[in-house]
Amino acid sequence: QVQLVESGGGLVQAGGSLRLSCAASGRTFSSYFMGWFRQGPGKERKFVAAINGNGTTRYYVDSVKGRFTNSRDNAKKTVYLQMNSLKPEDTAVYYCAAASGWAHSNQNDYAYWGQGTQVTVSS
């Protein structure tokens, strides 16, 4: 069982930065594939980024490549999403999720989810 708690969301102006954190419980954090998803107002939840257990493989949706960086600290059982050059269209509730096996952008691969953190980017 894994419990996930996101933090770091907030209100920022366009062009600004935020770093989201996702703290996990459980003894085998390093074995989990971790993903980030977001749900904008009136929209479906969509994939943003994912990282494998040892941090050597990372995936990003095209719209955030070059702006967002996904990383993890297994000693701290925490995954991060550094978001730079934020745009109003990045406004969403951001969720982290954990998968016990390989995962990518398919939400069904992720068994554990955090409660989400709101990111609002003003123009």
Side-chain angles (χ1 to χ4, degrees):
Q1 189 78 8
V2 177
Q3 292 184 327
L4 304 172
V5 179
E6 302 98 334
S7 61
L11 173 64
V12 63
Q13 290 186 334
S17 298
L18 283 174
R19 187 176 81 156
L20 304 184
S21 299
C22 175
S25 65
R27 295 181 294 175
T28 58
F29 175 73
S30 61
S31 68
Y32 284 89
F33 214 104
M34 299 299 294
W36 288 97
F37 294 79
R38 65 185 179 186
Q39 186 168 17
K43 298 180 180 179
E44 296 181 350
R45 189 166 60 187
K46 293 186 177 180
F47 171 76
V48 177
I51 187 168
N52 70 339
N54 60 13
T56 57
T57 301
R58 306 176 190 187
Y59 301 101
Y60 299 95
V61 67
D62 286 346
S63 60
V64 308
K65 285 180 180 177
R67 300 189 298 122
F68 290 11
T69 301
N70 195 12
S71 62
R72 66 191 296 161
D73 184 335
N74 286 339
K76 295 182 178 180
K77 298 182 181 179
T78 301
V79 64
Y80 305 97
L81 187 66
Q82 177 67 43
M83 306 186 295
N84 299 329
S85 302
L86 282 161
K87 304 175 181 180
E89 51 264 43
D90 294 318
T91 295
V93 177
Y94 283 71
Y95 299 89
C96 71
S100 57
W102 183 90
H104 184 211
S105 59
N106 188 341
Q107 298 185 47
N108 294 328
D109 291 335
Y110 294 85
Y112 306 102
W113 292 82
Q115 82 289 349
T117 186
Q118 176 71 47
V119 171
T120 302
V121 184
S122 63
S123 57

